[in-house]
Amino acid sequence: MIGATFRRITPQLIILGIVLLLNFLVFPGFFSIEFQNGRLFGNLIDVLNRGAPVALLSIGMTLVIATKGIDLSVGAVMAIAGAVAASVVTGGGGWFTALIAALAAGLLCGLWNGVLVAFLRVQPIVATLVLMVAGRGVAQLITEGKIMTFLNEGLIFLGAGTILGLPTPIIIWLAMGTLVTFVVRRTALGMLIEAIGINETASRLAGINSRVLLLAVYLISGVCAATAGVIVAADIKGADANNAGLWMELDAILAVVIGGNSLLGGRFSIVASLLGALIIQSVNSVILLSGMPPEFNLVIKALIIIVILVIQSPTVKHALYLLRASAGSAVPEAHAVGPRNSPAKETRS
Amino acid sequence: MTRSPRLSLYITMATFVLAYAVCAWQYPAMFSTRVVANLLTDNAFLGITAVGMTFVILSGGIDLSVGSVIAFSGVFLAVILRDTTMHPLVAFALLLAITISFGAAVGAIIHYLEMPPFIVTLAGMFLMRGLAYVLSTDSVPITHEFYDTIQDVYWKAPSGGRFRLIGGIMILCYIAAMIVLHRTRFGQNVYALGGNLATARLMGVPIARTTVMIYAIAGGLAGLAGIVYSVYTSAGYSLSTVGVELDAIAAVVIGGTLLTGGSGFVAGTFFGILIMGLIQTYIVFDGSLSSWWTKIVIGGLLFAFIMLQKALSWATTTRRRPATEFATRS
Amino acid sequence: MTETRKPALRATAIDKFFAGAIALDQVDLTLYPGEVHALLGENGAGKSTLIKCITGAYHRDGGTIELDGSPIDPRGPVESQALGIGTVYQEVNLLENMTVADNLFLGWQPMRAGMVDRRRMNRRAAEILAGYGLHIDPSLLLSSYSIAIQQVVAIARAVELSGKVLILDEPTASLDREEIDLLFSVVRELTARGMAVVFITHFLDQVFEISDRATVLRNGRVVGTRKLADVTQGDIVELMLGRHLEATKRKSQQTEPGDAILSLKDFGKRGMIDPFDLDLRQGEVVGLAGLLGSGRTETCKVIFGVVSADRGSAQLRGTPVRLSSPRTALEHRLGLCPEDRKTDGIVGDLSVRENIILSLQARQGWTRPLSRSRINAIVDEYVKALDIRLASPDMPIRLLSGGNQQKALLARWLATEPDILILDEPTRGIDVGAHAEIIQLIERLCAQGMALIVASSEMEELVAYSTRVIVLRDRRQVRELQGDEITTDRIVKSISQGESAA
Amino acid sequence: ADKTVGFSQIGSESGWRAAETTVTKQQAEERGIDLKFADAQQKQENQIKALRSFIAQGVDAILLAPVVATGWDSVLEEAQDAEIPVILLDRKVDASDDLYMTAVTSDTVYEGEVAGKWLVDAVGSEECRVVELQGTTGSSPAIDRKAGFEKAIADAPNITIVRSQTGDFTRAQGKVVMESFLKAEGAENICALYAHNDDMAVGAIQAIKEAGATPGDDILVVAIDAVPDMHLAIANGEANATVELTPNMAGPAFDILDAYWADGTMPPKWVQTESRLYTADDDNQAIYEMKKGLGY
Ligand SMILES: Nc1ncnc2c1ncn2[C@@H]1O[C@H](COP(=O)(O)OP(=O)(O)OP(=O)(O)O)[C@@H](O)[C@H]1O
Ligand SMILES: Nc1ncnc2c1ncn2[C@@H]1O[C@H](COP(=O)(O)OP(=O)(O)OP(=O)(O)O)[C@@H](O)[C@H]1O
Ligand SMILES: [Mg+2]
Ligand SMILES: [Mg+2]
């Protein structure tokens, strides 16, 4: 089990290592970590901390994508959740009430998406596009377009506090990732989700309640997005409905793909997606630390991502495999993964 | 999916006519040549982009890079025309060559490296916008007299509507696309790819060539949309047309094309564009919505259109449902 | 048939390796112009793989191919098609999103002035299909027709595209006698014109009816090539299995049917199947017979709740139930093994193991995962019982051969230990050995008190194990045959005469 | 009769912009003007569409807060043909100035200069390493405010910009980018922060505090906009200065329109709003209380 998981995430680990090394090249102090004012300080910690929102989003997104879906609304849901949390505490509520309210808002958004996809059979990308557009409006409606600042220590702690010297967001995404992975893999949920992602008709005929499962993954995605939204708001002590989570859905999808999960649904690995999120954050870190003018940010990001994706592409992987095989003892079975050999239904999404 | 694919096209058209009638009833000024001309002119670049998007989506893919390609095209043209003495027509040709090659490269990566279009074009989106920044972060005006000439080509309708050249270019694109998609082997191959890649391969469809051509067309049309946009605004600006890809996708889908590929019509996309334009016009005519309500209402109307379409197609299929259909195979 | 003629196609020493398995080992195949050459072997013997290596759909790991004496190396179906090798692959490989005519003419559409001439294309398509006895509208989507019709379309396409060699991989799996006869007459016409035809099937009757020679594969190796005029069916079977096989006979004595389990009253769905009554008792096998499109598959689907009935009532052991979805049916201990295994059956990327336990797990609910040891026990049991040939239960099911996929699906439902099992074309694509085993299995299950509904195009099969046979015509039950009435002749007669319901 | 005025707003990307919208609506209401509001979601094409729709509706005047300077000629010509006066708010356009009635804007380059001057005065002759948080790459305020600031410090060789990166005008990015500045340079090596807007500055202040340094003291903070939260920060001693960009551009615009409608008075082509500098010397707490309700 452990061995298989490790083999699955090896490419991501290697890429992460390379990108971190790149960080070290542009900023030699990158790996140093200090203990100051009761918390750990260092660029590595920053990567883990700043990667939290995308990491959280990628957990839910992995499940949604496993069902052949996609959730474009997560950025907007983050904004809604932040706004709800902020309005609860500025209205005099406690941090726990705020957190619960925000999560409930996330659940509600997930419910909306899920009902559209599972019951009304709207294509996921369109269904969630509706909430992507309208959701930010809802968030702004709550904050009236302002940045709704708050001073509630409990809520701020969720975004800027530390537990055992580690920033709270790191603890939160680690906990969430572990929890969801555990639930999905220790029950049959993971397999059933994969089944509907691969062939929904057949799964339904096999007696799987595909609607409820579809609903469930969008609910989970909503909760993950809401958590990320609370963290982002807490981090800046204010709910910025205009900008919180803006375009973050693309980063989350990217994280899932860098994690080696297929956008066509089916087999998935949450751990790999989380590594994908960290890789993206490390790339951002390279850009920030390099001191290049901001005009170049996107070009650098694009080039690094293209390189990462090319390394991960099945064709290149196969070529590398052949290379290794011919270098060592030639194993003929390599052909089995060749591109021409997949007679199963493949469509591009 | 047993219903006649044409049905979704008719449904989209009916939806548009119905919606326009409602709008015109509420604001009689909307029933004027001005509004009709505006719908064509203002949506010309989006409409052209959506044609390319229709090809891509029909083939089962998606292209997220178009918005950036448009922005890049504008900046590229503006910078070239500012810094050199090149004639705009030559610059157009050069630009189209670049964007077509870009599209072809995207298609080649998708095919040969077997990577999902969503991600390849996402990287392309970052890259093209990044290149636009690198060319110029400022917005660069275009002052070439050739631009004035093209802008002055319009037909002024009786009650003040101006039907401009760029609207005409869009309509030509749609006509050409209809012919290519429905009356050529390449067009049929596009549908085949969207139906099932592996099957299409076994049936002898030249996958590599078709994929590369599809994305090259999308790139070329995005470049053309960039030219149209630069004519529309007489400028190039690296921050323009952010998120246009989503508008284009929404238009294609509202037009009745399935995102899973293989089913749909480019004519539907045309009405999808008109519906999106109508939503915006309606909101401006209303003029009482705050920023946030604007977003909510746009989302709501998008939702309403999708539901209307679902309801219409559901009503028509239950009456004439053929027997082999599985409950819902979407 | 003089073996000294120049071969039309000669494949020599073909090798193909897959991860963890050798699929083809030095396979030779020689085709002469004007012959029908049967390619036989158990499920997973490598027949389909050999075909794909020849057409270039797979990249072969060794060997040479000659067409008309000159070496060829097609790098994909496009090239082999251009060389004059037309192929129908095992699973229907057509595009459901396009019209029948589009499918027939994809890549060689009639053109006029540089444009596809749709009117001519539709007209030609109708003509071509009429030659196979199909009078359908070719301008409708392929998906509006049943899998059997799709298969005919696939065959027609391959025939039109083949100049020298036609390869048919299990083309008759869900066809009826009538269509098969038409197909055979087309094949005879082609061979008369000097074309070479490869014919893969598990129906030995058909092999002997149409083929001149047969090459038999076992475990990826050629075990012999025989002139069919010189051998008997028994010889061929022995060659395929490496052992002798008892012929299946109709059971002399039927087990006494037990209590009624399921009773359907006035059950039906408008536009799909006319209302019917059905009483199903423990331990009985109800066969559904009928022509293509007669509504057998529909009957199965309505009972299982794939599409819920819009009239009538269902009682399960006397208590009224609503069978509104496969899920509720599963909870009431029903099972349905669907006809179209590729789209409705297998979950391709999941492992064979997961595919087998899928329904059982779905019934248990996601919160109660089956234990590792329980899963292993179940999988081991059924892999052995059904003789599923696989490299490992952890391999994705889509890599199994067609017949083995079918067996795995059967295992999926048997693992749920259903009271009522509905099998739609259960032996489609299954080899003779396994066929016999499955029929025995069905009998054993009945003896244990399970009730079965079996829809099949194979009359012999229905005759072999049915307690009752319901004959359908135009989506209506027209006749019920019982006991000694159940003979192939009677069934055929009922179908063609459409006697009013007894 | 009541006049109808169309207002094409860029969007609602920041608190300042929301305030401008609120103030515009308030001002219109006070004057009994029927305001048609159109939010363009940061897209120029939407603004052009809105303008054309306004023209089709036959409004009496148009207020336009242009998202970018270029690309307005043809639509402004159409407005002129339809004899609808257009007034630009808070940013100018590249078009010839007879295409619009007037522009009510601040001078964004000047704002940067004011901020820069303050810093030059504040540090005197001491060595000062400045980090800069830019606005959204390519946006005109980001370009102008950078240019103005650089102009102001050009003559002070002791002041150098050591790092400059975009914070997208948002609080969250401001904080993230500041964190990386602090790591890369070390808090003790940064003498001042210049942010292109207050939101980024407020985010950066939190980053400075979390890094264990004192904003406003160890690291001077100067920014632009004068939003309420910045006043609060100055009042708390966490920030040092901000340059006001008033959200009330519509007030003067409506005054101009009233005069024009009354007797045809043509305004000057540019009405510049004040770019006032606020420092710790002002009563920031009071200003905060006053501005809080304005919709920032
Ligand atoms: N891509 C693949 N990877 C690994 N093994 C494969 C692959 N494709 C086929 N196999 C294996 O190769 C063997 C031969 O399969 P093939 O499909 O040729 O059998 P077949 O003779 O056509 O059987 P059937 O009668 O059931 O169709 C099987 O054991 C199958 O599991
Ligand atoms: N000869 C035909 N002409 C036109 N349509 C046909 C014909 N035969 C079948 N069909 C179509 O196929 C459908 C029935 O297919 P279905 O598979 O359900 O029937 P079946 O009795 O199970 O037969 P089989 O399983 O052998 O295909 C019909 O609803 C009809 O649309
Ligand atoms: Mg086979
Ligand atoms: Mg059937």
Side-chain angles (χ1 to χ4, degrees):
Chain A
M1 268 301 263
I2 304 285
T5 314
F6 187 74
R7 226 172 308 128
R8 166 72 178 77
I9 59 172
T10 314
Q12 282 73 37
L13 286 174
I14 293 174
I15 292 171
L16 183 60
I18 293 174
V19 181
L20 289 179
L21 212 64
L22 213 59
N23 269 291
F24 177 72
L25 289 182
V26 299
F27 181 63
F30 183 76
F31 287 110
S32 77
I33 292 179
E34 303 161 24
F35 195 75
Q36 260 179 33
N37 312 335
R39 60 169 284 188
L40 287 168
F41 265 96
N43 291 86
L44 270 182
I45 303 291
D46 277 356
V47 166
L48 292 173
N49 188 17
R50 292 293 158 212
V54 174
L56 280 166
L57 294 184
S58 75
I59 296 170
M61 192 67 83
T62 307
L63 297 182
V64 171
I65 286 179
T67 64
K68 230 179 192 152
I70 202 152
D71 190 349
L72 294 182
S73 71
V74 287
V77 175
M78 281 175 68
I80 293 178
V84 167
S87 67
V88 169
V89 289
T90 50
W95 69 271
F96 190 71
T97 326
L99 181 63
I100 295 300
L103 293 183
L107 269 179
L108 207 63
C109 293
L111 185 69
W112 165 265
N113 285 333
V115 166
L116 283 192
V117 172
F119 292 90
L120 299 179
R121 295 270 141 194
V122 181
Q123 303 182 57
I125 201 171
V126 195
T128 54
L129 184 66
V130 170
L131 192 57
M132 177 186 181
V133 175
R136 194 160 295 278
V138 172
Q140 288 174 334
L141 187 68
I142 298 170
T143 64
E144 296 181 317
K146 306 172 207 178
I147 298 181
M148 196 182 248
T149 40
F150 50 82
L151 296 167
N152 182 302
E153 287 304 325
L155 191 56
I156 291 170
F157 180 80
L158 293 176
T162 56
I163 296 175
L164 303 172
L166 275 180
T168 332
I170 303 182
I171 306 288
I172 293 179
W173 74 255
L174 281 176
M176 186 74 118
T178 315
L179 178 75
V180 175
T181 310
F182 192 81
V183 167
V184 161
R185 289 303 174 197
R186 282 302 138 109
T187 67
L189 196 58
M191 182 188 79
L192 298 181
I193 286 174
E194 289 175 345
I196 56 177
I198 297 165
N199 186 342
E200 196 190 335
T201 318
S203 306
R204 240 171 55 75
L205 282 174
I208 296 176
N209 199 343
S210 61
R211 293 187 173 169
V212 169
L213 285 181
L214 279 175
L215 191 63
V217 294
Y218 286 93
L219 287 177
I220 296 175
S221 180
V223 170
C224 288
T227 316
V230 172
I231 288 180
V232 165
D235 180 38
I236 58 167
K237 303 178 190 161
D240 184 353
N242 310 317
N243 297 300
L246 199 61
W247 300 118
M248 218 172 248
E249 51 280 341
L250 293 183
D251 273 350
I253 295 167
L254 199 59
V256 174
V257 173
I258 291 181
N261 297 297
S262 165
L263 278 174
L264 302 178
R267 296 291 191 190
F268 68 89
S269 160
I270 291 178
V271 180
S273 295
L274 291 174
L275 286 174
L278 293 184
I279 291 171
I280 292 178
Q281 190 52 41
S282 313
V283 171
N284 290 342
S285 162
V286 173
I287 290 170
L288 287 181
L289 289 174
S290 69
M292 294 275 271
E295 297 89 280
F296 292 98
N297 289 3
L298 273 179
V299 175
I300 299 173
K301 187 168 176 179
L303 291 179
I304 298 181
I305 287 171
I306 290 171
V307 170
I308 292 175
L309 291 175
V310 166
I311 294 173
Q312 286 212 358
S313 83
T315 315
V316 173
K317 257 193 205 163
H318 181 222
L320 288 178
Y321 189 94
L322 283 185
L323 216 67
R324 236 184 311 151
S326 63
S329 61
V331 207
E333 64 186 42
H335 293 287
V337 285
R340 290 213 231 144
N341 291 349
S342 34
K345 178 177 161 94
E346 29 175 315
T347 33
R348 294 165 171 163
S349 80
Chain B
M1 253 305 296
T2 324
R3 75 187 138 99
S4 151
R6 250 169 225 292
L7 199 61
S8 60
L9 175 62
Y10 299 143
I11 288 173
T12 312
M13 288 163 65
T15 314
F16 172 72
V17 172
L18 206 72
Y20 195 48
V22 171
C23 292
W25 171 70
Q26 199 176 347
Y27 298 103
M30 274 186 79
F31 198 68
S32 72
T33 56
R34 265 187 204 273
V35 172
V36 176
N38 289 353
L39 272 181
L40 293 179
T41 311
D42 292 331
N43 294 300
F45 78 96
L46 182 61
I48 295 171
T49 317
V51 173
M53 192 65 86
T54 310
F55 275 86
V56 173
I57 290 181
L58 277 177
S59 79
I62 201 158
D63 190 348
L64 298 182
S65 67
V66 288
S68 301
V69 172
I70 296 174
F72 168 82
S73 306
V75 177
F76 177 84
L77 289 174
V79 169
I80 286 255
L81 295 178
R82 182 189 65 190
D83 298 347
T84 71
T85 55
M86 199 183 279
H87 189 271
L89 284 177
V90 183
F92 291 170
L94 186 62
L95 173 78
L96 287 180
I98 293 175
T99 59
I100 289 174
S101 321
F102 169 77
V106 165
I109 292 178
I110 290 170
H111 176 76
Y112 289 106
L113 298 185
E114 289 181 82
M115 299 210 286
F118 192 98
I119 283 308
V120 179
T121 57
L122 182 63
M125 162 178 163
F126 291 154
L127 183 69
M128 286 314 250
R129 189 153 313 266
L131 287 179
Y133 283 147
V134 173
L135 280 179
S136 167
T137 48
D138 275 319
S139 74
V140 184
I142 300 177
T143 49
H144 202 282
E145 61 276 10
F146 182 72
Y147 268 71
D148 300 330
T149 321
I150 328 182
Q151 275 167 346
D152 288 340
V153 183
Y154 58 76
W155 173 66
K156 196 160 176 176
S159 58
R162 295 182 204 209
F163 291 88
R164 291 175 186 272
L165 181 65
I166 53 176
I169 294 179
M170 168 174 78
I171 290 175
L172 283 184
C173 282
Y174 276 94
I175 294 172
M178 276 190 236
I179 293 173
V180 169
L181 270 178
H182 303 305
R183 305 307 291 274
T184 66
R185 285 192 182 154
F186 166 73
Q188 296 298 298
N189 289 345
V190 173
Y191 280 91
L193 238 63
N196 185 321
L197 195 63
T199 301
R201 178 180 292 137
L202 286 181
M203 286 176 79
V205 173
I207 308 283
R209 181 154 53 96
T210 311
T211 309
V212 170
M213 269 176 73
I214 288 168
Y215 286 89
I217 287 177
L221 283 171
L224 183 62
I227 293 173
V228 164
Y229 191 76
S230 80
V231 171
Y232 182 53
T233 62
S234 293
Y237 182 37
S238 48
L239 273 181
S240 59
T241 58
V242 173
V244 158
E245 50 281 346
L246 290 179
D247 291 341
I249 293 169
V252 172
V253 171
I254 289 180
T257 298
L258 285 187
L259 263 176
T260 38
S263 171
F265 292 94
V266 71
T269 304
F270 183 70
F271 286 93
I273 291 283
L274 292 184
I275 288 175
M276 305 254 301
L278 195 65
I279 292 179
Q280 283 192 334
T281 312
Y282 178 81
I283 287 176
V284 176
F285 267 74
D286 178 73
S288 66
L289 297 176
S290 65
S291 298
W292 26 98
W293 276 110
T294 303
K295 293 198 177 85
I296 297 174
V297 169
I298 290 180
L301 287 177
L302 200 60
F303 174 71
F305 275 108
I306 295 167
M307 284 300 112
L308 187 61
Q309 233 171 28
K310 281 258 159 213
L312 284 177
S313 71
W314 183 77
T316 36
T317 39
T318 39
R319 235 183 307 118
R320 12 174 286 165
R321 58 157 303 128
T324 43
E325 193 190 31
F326 253 117
T328 35
R329 194 186 289 171
S330 56
Chain C
M1 187 110 337
T2 43
E3 309 283 72
T4 48
R5 278 183 309 161
K6 243 179 67 195
L9 181 120
R10 185 209 289 275
T12 336
I14 305 285
D15 283 326
K16 177 74 194 165
F17 310 109
F18 286 124
I22 300 176
L24 297 175
D25 182 8
Q26 298 284 312
V27 172
D28 296 336
L29 182 70
T30 311
L31 303 179
Y32 292 98
E35 77 163 338
V36 178
H37 193 115
L39 190 55
L40 304 174
E42 285 179 284
N43 293 131
K47 305 178 293 292
S48 303
T49 308
L50 176 61
I51 297 310
K52 287 185 179 162
C53 286
I54 290 176
T55 62
Y58 278 175
H59 171 84
R60 65 179 187 282
D61 295 314
T64 54
I65 305 169
E66 285 169 29
L67 187 69
D68 285 340
S70 44
I72 56 164
D73 185 16
R75 314 204 19 164
V78 196
E79 283 179 38
S80 54
Q81 220 166 66
L83 289 167
I85 304 176
T87 316
V88 177
Y89 296 95
Q90 182 167 9
E91 307 292 343
V92 175
N93 274 296
L94 292 177
L95 297 158
E96 300 212 328
N97 63 318
M98 302 182 78
T99 69
V100 172
D102 285 334
N103 271 290
L104 259 177
F105 285 97
L106 189 69
W108 60 292
Q109 295 93 337
M111 304 294 272
R112 203 178 55 191
M115 307 240 179
V116 175
D117 185 349
R118 285 196 167 273
R119 190 156 341 138
R120 196 145 66 94
M121 190 168 92
N122 284 332
R123 209 178 48 229
R124 279 283 296 135
E127 283 166 20
I128 292 172
L129 292 177
Y132 295 82
L134 277 192
H135 299 280
I136 58 172
D137 180 357
S139 66
L140 291 188
L141 286 186
L142 184 80
S143 56
S144 32
Y145 295 106
S146 71
I147 183 111
I149 291 183
Q150 297 182 14
Q151 200 147 35
V152 176
V153 176
I155 293 168
R157 175 182 164 86
V159 168
E160 296 297 318
L161 283 174
S162 54
K164 292 168 184 156
V165 178
L166 172 65
I167 301 174
L168 303 169
D169 193 348
E170 298 198 21
T172 55
S174 51
L175 294 193
D176 283 302
R177 196 56 236 179
E178 213 173 312
E179 280 82 29
I180 293 171
D181 287 340
L182 282 165
L183 170 66
F184 283 180
S185 65
V186 172
V187 167
R188 288 198 185 96
E189 238 168 72
L190 295 176
T191 47
R193 291 209 309 258
M195 183 126 74
V197 178
V198 178
F199 181 46
I200 302 179
T201 186
H202 293 293
F203 299 115
L204 291 182
D205 293 346
Q206 296 174 10
V207 171
F208 277 85
E209 187 180 338
I210 185 114
S211 313
D212 305 306
R213 293 191 306 149
T215 294
V216 179
L217 291 177
R218 194 185 323 144
N219 291 331
R221 257 181 235 155
V222 176
V223 288
T225 299
R226 299 282 187 274
K227 240 189 184 141
L228 287 167
D230 304 343
V231 291
T232 64
Q233 282 204 22
D235 299 338
I236 292 288
V237 171
E238 234 177 292
L239 206 53
M240 278 165 64
L241 305 185
R243 64 186 157 91
H244 187 68
L245 189 75
E246 303 281 331
T248 47
K249 283 222 181 61
R250 177 164 169 74
K251 285 176 292 177
S252 44
Q253 113 238 16
Q254 301 278 337
T255 39
E256 232 359 76
D259 313 328
I261 312 184
L262 179 72
S263 86
L264 304 172
K265 288 259 157 358
D266 195 29
F267 209 67
K269 162 106 187 154
R270 206 153 46 101
M272 279 194 84
I273 184 81
D274 282 0
F276 61 90
D277 296 339
L278 178 70
D279 282 298
L280 196 63
R281 285 181 295 274
Q282 247 178 358
E284 77 171 345
V285 181
V286 173
L288 297 177
L291 290 181
L292 213 163
S294 56
R296 291 163 297 179
T297 298
E298 272 84 351
T299 307
C300 298
K301 283 185 186 168
V302 169
I303 297 175
F304 196 60
V306 177
V307 275
S308 42
D310 58 3
R311 59 181 295 169
S313 62
Q315 286 196 337
L316 208 58
R317 295 209 174 76
T319 31
V321 289
R322 252 179 61 77
L323 300 169
S324 56
S325 72
R327 188 174 164 67
T328 43
L330 176 71
E331 271 159 12
H332 291 302
R333 302 193 91 87
L334 269 72
L336 166 71
C337 205
E339 175 181 32
D340 186 350
R341 66 166 165 261
K342 190 168 150 192
T343 59
D344 300 337
I346 63 166
V347 181
D349 281 336
L350 285 192
S351 65
V352 179
R353 184 196 306 278
E354 287 164 316
N355 266 284
I356 289 178
I357 59 148
L358 198 59
S359 287
L360 188 58
Q361 183 64 67
R363 191 173 64 201
Q364 284 226 1
W366 64 271
T367 46
R368 293 172 44 218
L370 296 164
S371 73
R372 200 82 199 149
S373 54
R374 172 109 189 271
I375 293 175
N376 287 341
I378 291 171
V379 171
D380 287 348
E381 179 189 340
Y382 287 102
V383 165
K384 200 172 311 143
L386 299 175
D387 189 25
I388 303 175
R389 304 282 170 86
L390 33 67
S392 137
D394 288 318
M395 72 196 276
I397 194 168
R398 67 180 161 80
L399 299 183
L400 286 190
S401 79
N404 283 311
Q405 290 178 4
Q406 186 72 23
K407 292 188 204 168
L409 288 181
L410 206 54
R412 175 192 293 171
W413 287 106
L414 293 178
T416 64
E417 295 172 352
D419 292 342
I420 301 166
L421 186 55
I422 307 167
L423 304 173
D424 196 355
E425 306 283 356
T427 51
R428 196 173 152 222
I430 283 187
D431 68 44
V432 271
H435 196 241
E437 283 162 33
I438 286 176
I439 289 182
Q440 278 168 17
L441 185 80
I442 288 176
E443 285 169 354
R444 215 167 51 234
L445 291 172
C446 292
Q448 287 165 13
M450 190 187 288
L452 283 118
I453 300 175
V454 184
S456 175
S457 327
E458 266 188 88
M459 305 293 172
E460 295 79 14
E461 186 180 302
L462 287 176
V463 171
Y465 48 67
S466 302
T467 343
R468 284 187 285 155
V469 172
I470 293 175
V471 179
L472 289 117
R473 221 172 107 98
D474 294 334
R475 301 143 192 246
R476 186 181 317 150
Q477 294 192 0
V478 291
R479 185 89 171 82
E480 185 174 317
L481 303 171
Q482 283 190 342
D484 295 335
E485 289 178 323
I486 306 180
T487 61
T488 319
D489 286 349
R490 280 302 293 266
I491 297 178
V492 172
K493 220 160 77 204
S494 324
I495 289 176
S496 53
Q497 290 171 348
E499 303 165 49
S500 57
Chain D
D2 269 0
K3 296 286 187 184
T4 307
V5 174
F7 173 32
S8 170
Q9 175 63 291
I10 295 177
S12 58
E13 74 281 5
S14 67
W16 184 89
R17 182 96 21 224
E20 185 186 40
T21 305
T22 316
V23 172
T24 306
K25 285 185 175 167
Q26 281 169 1
Q27 293 283 346
E29 205 169 331
E30 275 171 26
R31 292 171 166 79
I33 289 173
D34 180 14
L35 190 74
K36 293 259 175 198
F37 174 73
D39 179 302
Q41 329 258 346
Q42 280 85 18
K43 291 187 196 166
Q44 182 179 23
E45 59 269 26
N46 288 354
Q47 287 202 290
I48 298 179
K49 283 179 202 172
L51 254 54
R52 289 222 162 99
S53 294
F54 287 147
I55 297 170
Q57 277 183 80
V59 295
D60 297 302
I62 292 174
L63 303 186
L64 167 67
V67 65
V68 56
T70 51
W72 301 99
D73 302 61
S74 62
V75 68
L76 289 182
E77 271 166 34
E78 275 182 42
Q80 200 169 41
D81 274 10
E83 293 174 355
I84 299 172
V86 176
I87 297 183
L88 307 176
L89 298 189
D90 75 71
R91 289 182 196 175
K92 288 206 244 182
V93 301
D94 265 356
S96 119
D97 67 5
D98 49 307
L99 285 178
Y100 55 86
M101 182 180 247
T102 182
V104 182
T105 77
S106 71
D107 182 339
T108 34
V109 178
Y110 177 68
E111 289 164 359
E113 258 185 274
V114 172
K117 282 228 182 66
W118 174 84
L119 187 68
V120 172
D121 294 343
V123 295
S125 60
E126 263 174 64
E127 195 63 28
C128 184
R129 293 158 56 85
V130 181
V131 294
E132 179 185 28
L133 282 170
Q134 298 186 28
T136 304
T137 312
S139 66
S140 66
I143 295 167
D144 293 347
R145 287 172 182 178
K146 183 172 175 57
F149 186 80
E150 282 171 353
K151 190 167 146 201
I153 63 168
D155 297 330
N158 55 325
I159 300 178
T160 46
I161 298 178
V162 291
R163 281 201 175 241
S164 179
Q165 181 52 264
T166 175
D168 271 333
F169 281 135
T170 68
R171 213 176 263 205
Q173 268 314 96
K175 183 171 180 187
V176 171
V177 176
M178 190 66 204
E179 257 174 27
S180 85
F181 285 168
L182 289 164
K183 294 270 163 32
E185 296 294 328
E188 60 287 354
N189 298 324
I190 299 174
C191 121
L193 161 72
Y194 167 51
H196 288 186
N197 81 348
D198 285 345
D199 284 341
M200 291 190 292
V202 171
I205 287 169
Q206 292 174 18
I208 297 172
K209 282 200 282 191
E210 280 170 24
T214 321
D217 189 17
D218 295 344
I219 298 178
L220 302 178
V221 178
V222 53
I224 298 173
D225 276 359
V227 304
D229 283 342
M230 190 65 173
H231 285 291
L232 195 62
I234 298 177
N236 294 340
E238 292 172 343
N240 305 82
T242 182
V243 181
E244 181 171 48
L245 173 64
T246 174
N248 184 9
M249 308 268 176
F254 286 135
D255 292 342
I256 289 167
L257 281 175
D258 280 339
Y260 170 71
W261 285 326
D263 49 20
T265 320
M266 286 303 284
K269 278 293 164 188
W270 184 21
V271 179
Q272 190 184 349
T273 59
E274 196 188 356
S275 298
R276 207 190 133 189
L277 180 75
Y278 287 92
T279 60
D281 300 338
D282 299 281
D283 184 358
N284 284 290
Q285 192 67 41
I287 301 171
Y288 167 73
E289 299 298 339
M290 187 193 77
K291 282 191 169 177
K292 223 169 43 171
L294 278 183
Y296 277 102

